[in-house]
Amino acid sequence: MNHGTAENDSSEQRHPSTKARSSKDICKTILNFLLHQWLLIGIGVACVLAYYFPNVAKSGGVIRSEYSILYGAMAIIFLTSGLSISHQKLFTHLLNWRLHFLVQVFSFIFVPAVVLAVVHIVLAGDPHGHIDRALLAGYIFTACIPTTIASNVVMTRSAGGDDAAALVEVVIANFLGPFITAGWTVTLLPKTAEFDPWRQASGDLSEMYKEVFKQLGLGALLPLVTGQLVRWVWPEQTERVMQKYRIAKLGSACMLLMVWMSFSSCFATGALQTLSVQSILFVVFFNIGLYITLTAVCFVLSRPPEILSVNRFGMRRIFKRISPEETIAVCFCGPAKSTGIGIPLLYAMWAPVGLYTKARTSVPVLLYTTEQICVAHFFVYALKRWHKKLNEKRDAEASGDHVSSSEMAALSLAEEPSDQEGVIANAHEPGRCKTVHD
């Protein structure tokens, strides 16, 4: 009886420690989950700060974000990219015409075609104008601007993709964008009276071109070249420092600053607060659906089904699959759009239009470029897992081929002695010896 009581006492003593250990494990799991989702949490914090303190990080605000963030944060992202990527890899992708064609045609032709079709569907189904026409004009403009500069490189690197490919594509797109976007937008605007303010307005674009190329040169190309020079002079030391201090993580932190700036500018104009509920719901959910759809199309175009790769009528060359790493870069570069070039270009194009109208027109640009970062955060995990499974499958196949060749070698070695034994045995048979003697 006393023995049973002692066992109960010892189990009661062990129970609190077990309970404390399980609570500790639960807290550790929650903490690890939050740490893995730090970027998404940071985006939420940035949105809250932008809502309550919009004048801090808006363009022309307290911290002068058009310089401190747009130039400073972007320069850090491209400097870390220049330090991380070999110049041979960059040069290889500069000559990758298939990749250029896939990304640039998708960004400047396919995306505007899809958005224009949706705009005409909305116009046909909403004759009373519940959806603000400034938003529709803003969407056509958003579809025509180039891919974003900073987040593509960061997301591609985080997902295990080819960040050199993303880097080359964003530089090309943002060099072409200012020359393409203005005329392409006006051409695609619906030919109805309600879009006349946007179709007839033509601002002076010379200052815009000056600002855009200054931003591209100082914020992107100069830091990239500086990073490449440092890596070329001290390759081993640079690689060691990059790995030891995880400098590539700075890019993600800088991306949060750009989200903060975008939302601050959006809330500071008051454009969001004055839109109807239908318009806000349309923008928010359409952005998410559009980005997911465009990413899926990019993936299929980069990795078409094998049935299309049959060797007939040149189909194998047309539907040739690109590498998984390049596919990840295409999936982040193709659907994305740039606030950095979009907003200055919008205000320069439609300078004669009223400020309030321009603010409403800019809502699709601001919200789409912000929501794309939130949705892309989940695509990072999906594409990273897909890439990992492909590598595991490739390693398993390589291991299977190695085992098969080893087994074949072992079998051939095992068969050789038996053949020799047969020859010796035959040599000792009288008939065989006689035949040989004869």
Side-chain angles (χ1 to χ4, degrees):
M1 190 73 178
N2 293 334
H3 180 67
T5 306
E7 285 182 351
N8 292 334
D9 292 340
S10 65
S11 65
E12 288 176 1
Q13 290 174 359
R14 286 196 304 268
H15 181 68
S17 63
T18 305
K19 187 175 181 180
R21 192 180 300 113
S22 64
S23 301
K24 185 178 179 181
D25 291 339
I26 292 172
C27 292
K28 187 177 180 180
T29 303
I30 294 173
L31 182 62
N32 286 333
F33 175 78
L34 292 177
L35 287 175
H36 279 90
Q37 305 298 324
W38 70 272
L39 184 61
L40 199 61
I41 295 170
I43 290 173
V45 172
C47 293
V48 172
L49 290 175
Y51 180 77
Y52 286 103
F53 310 102
N55 293 322
V56 175
K58 72 173 185 178
S59 180
V62 176
I63 64 172
R64 302 290 289 179
S65 61
E66 69 272 21
Y67 300 111
S68 60
I69 294 179
L70 203 56
Y71 282 89
M74 188 185 300
I76 292 173
I77 290 172
F78 276 82
L79 178 63
T80 56
S81 298
L83 293 170
S84 305
I85 302 169
S86 67
H87 59 277
Q88 294 95 339
K89 204 172 182 182
L90 281 175
F91 183 73
T92 300
H93 283 301
L94 277 173
L95 303 178
N96 192 344
W97 296 106
R98 181 182 178 84
L99 186 67
H100 302 334
F101 181 81
L102 184 60
V103 173
Q104 307 308 330
V105 169
F106 186 89
S107 181
F108 288 116
I109 296 179
F110 183 82
V111 177
V114 171
V115 171
L116 184 62
V118 173
V119 166
H120 281 288
I121 291 171
V122 172
L123 289 174
D126 181 36
H128 301 293
H130 295 297
I131 304 299
D132 197 316
R133 293 327 187 220
L135 293 180
L136 299 182
Y139 265 117
I140 294 175
F141 172 80
T142 304
C144 295
I145 60 178
T147 186
T148 187
I149 298 179
S151 61
N152 290 343
V153 180
V154 175
M155 294 292 187
T156 301
R157 186 186 301 127
S158 300
D162 195 333
D163 50 349
L167 197 59
V168 169
E169 294 310 314
V170 300
V171 170
I172 292 173
N174 283 270
F175 181 80
L176 296 175
F179 301 105
I180 295 175
T181 302
W184 193 217
T185 301
V186 174
T187 302
L188 295 180
L189 283 170
K191 305 298 188 290
T192 56
E194 51 196 345
F195 288 95
D196 283 345
W198 294 276
R199 189 169 47 255
Q200 295 174 1
S202 57
D204 182 12
L205 300 183
S206 58
E207 285 299 318
M208 183 277 302
Y209 283 121
K210 180 181 176 182
E211 183 64 29
V212 164
F213 286 113
K214 183 174 74 172
Q215 176 189 326
L216 188 63
L218 296 179
L221 294 179
L222 181 61
L224 176 63
V225 172
T226 303
Q228 285 286 287
L229 289 174
V230 171
R231 184 181 176 90
W232 181 63
V233 177
W234 300 288
E236 295 180 2
Q237 297 91 327
T238 302
E239 189 67 31
R240 187 163 56 249
V241 170
M242 293 290 292
Q243 294 291 335
K244 182 178 180 180
Y245 296 103
R246 299 176 180 268
I247 293 178
K249 292 287 184 184
L250 283 173
S252 300
C254 291
M255 200 164 57
L256 291 178
L257 295 176
M258 301 187 81
V259 172
W260 181 33
M261 180 189 71
S262 298
F263 264 113
S264 295
S265 300
C266 198
F267 286 123
T269 60
L272 269 179
Q273 295 89 320
T274 57
L275 288 174
S276 64
V277 176
Q278 295 96 323
S279 296
I280 291 293
L281 291 176
F282 170 75
V283 171
V284 171
F285 289 105
F286 177 64
N287 287 345
I288 295 173
L290 180 63
Y291 187 82
I292 293 174
T293 302
L294 294 177
T295 305
V297 174
C298 279
F299 185 85
V300 172
L301 291 175
S302 303
R303 308 280 293 181
E306 291 184 359
I307 192 172
L308 297 176
S309 299
V310 294
N311 194 18
R312 291 181 183 175
F313 311 111
M315 291 181 67
R316 178 174 292 180
R317 185 180 295 274
I318 296 172
F319 296 103
K320 182 181 178 182
R321 289 183 170 187
I322 63 176
S323 69
E325 293 78 15
E326 290 179 359
T327 300
I328 293 173
V330 172
C331 286
F332 286 118
C333 291
K337 295 297 176 180
S338 171
T339 308
I341 286 183
I343 295 302
L345 182 55
L346 185 147
Y347 278 81
M349 275 178 59
W350 291 312
V353 177
L355 180 62
Y356 177 65
T357 302
K358 284 188 289 192
R360 285 183 296 136
T361 308
S362 69
V363 168
V365 185
L366 292 169
L367 285 187
Y368 182 82
T369 53
T370 305
E371 286 183 74
Q372 75 187 6
I373 295 176
C374 300
V375 179
H377 176 71
F378 296 99
F379 275 116
V380 166
Y381 291 101
L383 291 170
K384 193 174 186 178
R385 186 176 301 175
W386 168 75
H387 189 213
K388 184 179 178 182
K389 286 183 178 179
L390 276 184
N391 288 336
E392 290 174 352
K393 183 180 178 181
R394 191 182 306 159
D395 293 341
E397 289 175 353
S399 176
D401 293 340
H402 178 69
V403 170
S404 300
S405 60
S406 300
E407 289 177 352
M408 291 295 292
L411 286 172
S412 63
L413 288 173
E415 288 174 357
E416 284 178 5
S418 63
D419 294 341
Q420 292 175 1
E421 289 174 3
V423 171
I424 294 170
N426 291 336
H428 284 287
E429 292 180 6
R432 299 287 182 187
C433 293
K434 184 175 183 299
T435 305
V436 171
H437 180 71
D438 294 341

